[in-house]
Amino acid sequence: MKYTFAVLLVASSTFLGAEPPTVESKTATELLKHPEFKKALETAPEFTKAVLQRLDNHAFYAERKFAETIVIASKGDADAQLSIGHMYRHGLGVKEDHKQSVVWLSKAAVQGNVSAQFKLGSMIEYGLGVDGQDFVTAYAWYMISKS
């Protein structure tokens, strides 16, 4: 959801004809406190409320999709495991958790899912969800995904 709120902030400021602000912090609470968002809420409340409603719908859909997919992933479906790994990686429908992302990507990767193999290599390369960066293991997963 963090990127969605950044989009909302940019859309709100653009709607008002203002320069989109540079946003370092992407949490919903901080963005909702941002002066440009407050101005949008005051100036165009219907637009802003409509965008917030869409965000609520998106969050509900993502949570429901996660709940449905994890059932399938738990039964060993590699594509569903890849999806769960992606959802954990990016906090879609669930709290962002890189360690869980690596767990689920690993399950899919050992079953031969090429996308999971590549994403797992990337997580390991950047040290996300693992104990430090490991370029050798990351390279191995990248090579496996190419074959």
Side-chain angles (χ1 to χ4, degrees):
M1 290 300 292
K2 59 186 174 185
Y3 300 109
T4 307
F5 282 98
V7 169
L8 170 63
L9 183 60
V10 171
S12 300
S13 61
T14 303
F15 179 78
L16 296 171
E19 273 297 310
T22 303
V23 180
E24 293 297 323
S25 174
K26 296 176 185 140
T27 64
T29 305
E30 291 168 347
L31 287 174
L32 291 173
K33 292 178 184 175
H34 196 283
E36 289 297 327
F37 183 80
K38 286 182 176 181
K39 189 189 323 181
L41 190 55
E42 293 168 3
T43 309
E46 294 306 313
F47 166 78
T48 308
K49 287 177 185 173
V51 172
L52 285 173
Q53 180 61 45
R54 291 197 60 165
L55 291 174
D56 285 343
N57 291 343
H58 177 73
F60 172 76
Y61 172 77
E63 290 169 5
R64 192 176 89 203
K65 184 70 176 169
F66 178 84
E68 293 170 355
T69 306
I70 199 153
V71 170
I72 299 166
S74 297
K75 294 178 181 176
D77 184 278
D79 290 332
Q81 290 168 341
L82 168 66
S83 293
I84 293 296
H86 179 79
M87 291 171 156
Y88 270 121
R89 166 69 178 91
H90 297 286
L92 302 170
V94 67
K95 185 177 180 191
E96 190 175 293
D97 184 336
H98 293 159
K99 288 186 181 204
Q100 281 298 308
S101 178
V102 168
V103 167
W104 288 99
L105 289 173
S106 296
K107 290 179 182 194
V110 297
Q111 291 188 66
N113 185 296
V114 174
S115 294
Q117 292 167 343
F118 187 85
K119 288 180 186 226
L120 181 59
S122 178
M123 297 284 289
I124 294 168
E125 177 184 359
Y126 291 100
L128 300 174
V130 294
D131 295 329
Q133 293 175 298
D134 182 347
F135 298 115
V136 174
T137 304
Y139 180 77
W141 278 114
Y142 288 141
M143 291 299 99
I144 291 169
S145 74
K146 283 183 71 173
S147 56

